Amino acid sequence: MGQPAAIRAAATPTVGKAMLNKYARAFFTRVLTPFAAFLIRRGVSPDTVTLLGTAGVVAGALVFYPRGEFFWGTVVITLFVFSDLVDGNMARQLGRSSRWGAFLDSTLDRVADGAIFGGFALWYAGQGDDNMMCAVSIFCLASGQVVSYTKARGESIGLPVAVNGLVERAERLVISLVAAGFAGLHKFGVPGIQWLLPIALWIVAAGSLVTLIQRVVTVRRESAEAEAAARDASGAAK
């Protein structure tokens, strides 16, 4: 089916990102398919993998990050983040893709994101002793939740929300986790690298704000277009 010109224009700048996500996901799907099949043979359900993956991310973030153990925390989180691909792979192999599975996965993604940025906030509020960065971490946490909500809420009222913002969930996680992992090398004697994490959090905060504005503007435009189309249809029917 074709898209309206306005929607196509809004989607054009994200083609490169979509292609990158497509090929990266395809690569990891091939790598993780044997592991997913192994879990299925052992009677493990996709929902169990989703729950365990989220528990691992939350534990890695809230046990290691508040103590400043950014390298090991990131290692643990990264291992469990791949559960997001494994559970979907298992569901496809079983032919059990469902609304419940999508709902559970999306909901627990928000929990995991909150734990990661909450872990940063706890570090800066405690041993990190930096109220400004604590506030930035909290903003990253809150704005990430709101960015996700704007899309879900827009779609719930029948709008396509046809925009992929500047910094969405994948970008927030990659930027933050890569920076945290490298920042953790400071404890291994790498000088100056600890500044990568504050820089990354500022980037995520600014990008999340831009993304939020993009989505709000998109929903406003799509809402106006939908209401105008409804008025035109109503007038034509009279």
Side-chain angles (χ1 to χ4, degrees):
M1 294 178 64
Q3 291 179 307
I7 294 178
R8 287 200 300 270
T12 299
T14 67
V15 170
K17 182 192 294 185
M19 293 291 287
L20 179 61
N21 287 342
K22 173 184 174 182
Y23 289 114
R25 183 169 288 270
F27 169 76
F28 285 112
T29 295
R30 287 195 300 272
V31 171
L32 295 173
T33 292
F35 180 61
F38 170 80
L39 292 177
I40 290 171
R41 291 195 297 272
R42 293 297 182 273
V44 179
S45 71
D47 287 352
T48 300
V49 173
T50 302
L51 291 166
L52 290 177
T54 302
V57 171
V58 170
L62 297 183
V63 170
F64 291 95
Y65 283 175
R67 299 187 299 171
E69 297 288 347
F70 295 119
F71 178 79
W72 293 115
T74 301
V75 169
V76 171
I77 290 169
T78 301
L79 290 175
F80 283 100
V81 158
F82 283 106
S83 67
D84 193 44
L85 295 176
V86 174
D87 57 8
N89 192 309
M90 292 172 66
R92 285 190 294 274
Q93 290 190 45
L94 291 169
R96 293 182 187 171
S97 297
S98 65
R99 291 182 176 87
W100 161 249
F103 169 81
L104 180 66
D105 192 54
S106 180
T107 299
L108 293 183
D109 281 349
R110 308 287 85 75
V111 173
D113 293 358
I116 291 170
F117 290 104
F120 294 144
L122 287 171
W123 160 251
Y124 286 116
Q127 297 179 49
D129 193 24
D130 191 327
N131 289 336
M132 175 62 75
M133 290 312 305
C134 177
V136 171
S137 300
I138 292 172
F139 180 83
C140 289
L141 190 163
S143 61
Q145 306 294 327
V146 175
V147 164
S148 297
Y149 173 79
T150 54
K151 185 172 182 65
R153 181 58 177 150
E155 290 175 342
S156 74
I157 59 176
L159 300 175
V161 195
V163 59
N164 289 330
L166 179 65
V167 176
E168 297 189 320
R169 182 173 188 260
E171 289 77 21
R172 289 196 302 272
L173 288 181
V174 169
I175 293 170
S176 302
L177 292 178
V178 168
F182 278 111
L185 295 177
H186 178 68
K187 288 201 170 185
F188 294 89
V190 180
I193 202 166
Q194 71 273 19
W195 292 107
L196 281 178
L197 181 56
I199 293 170
L201 290 175
W202 275 109
I203 291 173
V204 170
S208 296
L209 179 59
V210 171
T211 302
L212 177 59
I213 293 171
Q214 286 177 305
R215 288 195 173 175
V216 170
V217 169
T218 298
V219 169
R220 179 178 174 82
R221 173 178 52 78
E222 291 177 350
S223 176
E225 290 173 351
E227 290 170 1
R231 286 194 299 271
D232 291 344
S234 177
K238 291 179 180 180

